[in-house]
Amino acid sequence: MNHTCEKYKPAQAEDVAHVLTLLEAIRPITPDLKEEFYEHAITLELQEGEHLLRQGERCHHMYFIRKGALMAYSQHRQKQITTYISVENEFVSSLSGLYGQQPSREAIIAVEPTLLVGVYTDILLGWYDRYFDLNYIIRQVYENYYRDAQERSHVVRIGNAKERYLYFVKSKPGFLDRLPMECVASFLDMKPETLSRIRKQSPSTLDAQEANNLLRKAAQVMHETECFKEKTLKVQALAERLGVPAYKLSWVLNTYSKTSFTDFVNQYRIAYLKEQLEQGEGLQNFTLEALALEAGFASRSGFYKAFRKAEGISPRAYINSMQSMDK
């Protein structure tokens, strides 16, 4: 790796807890393995344009993207080819040089400021020998990655430029605005000018009435099913319930509601939590964090951040103001 040891720091407990929460959405983790995660996990911060790995180097860590985005690319005949793009809540490592067994055929670079939580691969391999639950989880992670890679390969080889664009909007909802145009264009094997032109055209055929009908239907589903309580709810899952493509739902939320899918879901989680608090029995039977988990938040830090963004104050400040009004 091109990083000195000084760049790696012991991971913060809340960052490790966030990773464990997402892993446990796949399968429960034993207490012993959790302790080892807290003991051995490290963090690494990258600035935009800084390499995590250069082509030809060996990768000795498996990383989880706590925040930010990374792009992997290879140089071939003086052409840079983007092989994958990964964003927060995804795992990343060298695919061609996994576990440091051979030089990596791709470089990995941060396309925006990025915080990574990592584990040294020798430690990870030892965990595989001792913990079945981790074997199962990582197998699911790899299966999901290769399933996505196969779909992308099919779309890029068979689909036209517009179909490739719609594939990206569907698979990476909300990320087209934050990633460099050149990066996304290379990933989809098209010129930046082509991507820009298609982006302006799609899906402009959806009129305001259709968009508002879709938003009303989405709100109805959220209220009736309380699917916001699902910690791993994705735009694809809600779109499937609505009977529309995921890219269309994402586009309507971004364009007409001026919100991301995550913020859209979080507003229902926060409304549910506030309702529990206003009933007066919520904090008597549960902690605030327990109520947040019941409402669908995957972590304490994610809940606090979302609440402050939506309400302008912290959850504790909101409770204090509510209690003072009751006196």
Side-chain angles (χ1 to χ4, degrees):
M1 297 291 292
N2 60 327
H3 294 286
T4 61
C5 294
E6 289 76 11
K7 287 203 172 187
Y8 295 104
K9 300 177 182 179
Q12 296 292 319
E14 67 174 25
D15 292 328
V16 178
H18 182 81
V19 177
L20 292 174
T21 297
L22 291 175
L23 292 177
E24 288 201 294
I26 302 175
R27 183 184 178 89
I29 296 175
T30 61
D32 288 346
L33 179 54
K34 287 184 180 180
E35 287 186 14
E36 294 214 39
F37 261 106
Y38 281 107
E39 179 182 355
H40 294 289
I42 55 91
T43 57
L44 176 65
E45 292 189 65
L46 298 175
Q47 299 303 312
E48 181 179 343
E50 187 175 359
H51 277 84
L52 172 66
L53 181 74
R54 294 186 183 275
Q55 194 168 340
E57 294 180 338
R58 294 179 184 269
C59 185
H60 296 290
H61 290 80
M62 172 72 78
Y63 297 97
F64 173 86
I65 305 176
R66 185 69 172 89
K67 65 178 180 180
L70 296 171
M71 174 186 78
Y73 67 92
S74 297
Q75 293 289 148
H76 181 67
R77 296 180 181 177
Q78 299 183 332
K79 180 181 179 181
Q80 180 173 302
I81 303 170
T82 302
T83 53
Y84 66 82
I85 298 171
S86 294
V87 297
E88 54 258 18
N89 296 335
E90 294 182 350
F91 289 89
V92 65
S93 187
S94 169
L95 301 178
S96 58
L98 194 61
Y99 306 126
Q101 295 174 346
Q102 60 185 10
S104 174
R105 291 197 295 270
E106 68 264 347
I108 305 175
I109 190 171
V111 295
E112 61 185 41
T114 300
L115 174 64
L116 301 166
V117 179
V119 174
Y120 189 59
T121 50
D122 283 357
I123 293 174
L124 194 63
L125 290 171
W127 290 349
Y128 290 164
D129 291 335
R130 290 182 285 123
Y131 299 107
F132 170 79
D133 42 349
L134 186 63
N135 273 280
Y136 181 91
I137 291 168
I138 296 301
R139 188 188 76 197
Q140 292 296 313
V141 170
Y142 288 158
E143 285 181 1
N144 290 338
Y145 171 79
Y146 283 112
R147 189 181 300 113
D148 291 343
Q150 184 179 40
E151 181 184 3
R152 171 185 171 263
S153 176
H154 175 78
V155 171
V156 170
R157 289 174 180 270
I158 306 298
N160 58 35
K162 184 174 182 179
E163 288 170 335
R164 280 176 264 161
Y165 165 82
L166 294 178
Y167 156 79
F168 185 81
V169 173
K170 172 185 174 182
S171 61
K172 303 287 185 185
F175 291 104
L176 192 61
D177 290 331
R178 61 185 274 193
L179 298 173
M181 185 75 69
E182 295 78 9
C183 167
V184 177
S186 174
F187 180 68
L188 298 177
D189 193 25
M190 66 176 72
K191 295 180 179 179
E193 309 83 66
T194 303
L195 176 59
S196 179
R197 173 175 52 79
I198 294 174
R199 185 182 179 188
K200 291 177 181 178
Q201 295 173 347
S202 302
S204 57
T205 55
L206 192 69
D207 61 31
Q209 183 176 352
E210 288 180 282
N212 288 327
N213 287 340
L214 180 57
L215 290 173
R216 282 195 294 269
K217 189 175 179 182
Q220 181 181 357
V221 169
M222 297 294 278
H223 282 298
E224 292 179 353
T225 68
E226 293 191 336
C227 58
F228 56 82
K229 291 184 178 180
E230 301 171 17
K231 293 179 176 58
T232 57
L233 181 66
K234 303 292 185 185
V235 66
Q236 291 88 344
L238 180 58
E240 185 175 341
R241 297 184 187 191
L242 296 171
V244 299
Y247 73 83
K248 181 176 289 188
L249 174 60
S250 179
W251 184 83
V252 167
L253 288 172
N254 292 337
T255 304
Y256 285 86
S257 292
K258 305 301 181 184
T259 187
S260 66
F261 176 74
T262 299
D263 288 343
F264 173 75
V265 175
N266 283 344
Q267 72 181 3
Y268 288 93
R269 291 169 175 164
I270 292 171
Y272 173 83
L273 184 140
K274 288 169 63 177
E275 182 180 348
Q276 302 306 305
L277 293 174
E278 290 167 3
Q279 289 177 358
E281 300 179 357
L283 291 181
Q284 295 180 21
N285 301 317
F286 301 97
T287 65
L288 181 59
E289 287 73 18
L291 285 174
L293 291 175
E294 182 189 0
F297 288 101
S299 69
R300 179 181 182 275
S301 60
F303 158 59
Y304 273 75
K305 181 179 179 180
F307 194 96
R308 182 179 288 277
K309 182 177 181 180
E311 301 295 325
I313 58 174
S314 70
R316 291 294 175 189
Y318 176 83
I319 292 172
N320 291 338
S321 66
M322 187 175 64
Q323 291 173 341
S324 65
M325 291 176 62
D326 293 336
K327 293 181 179 179

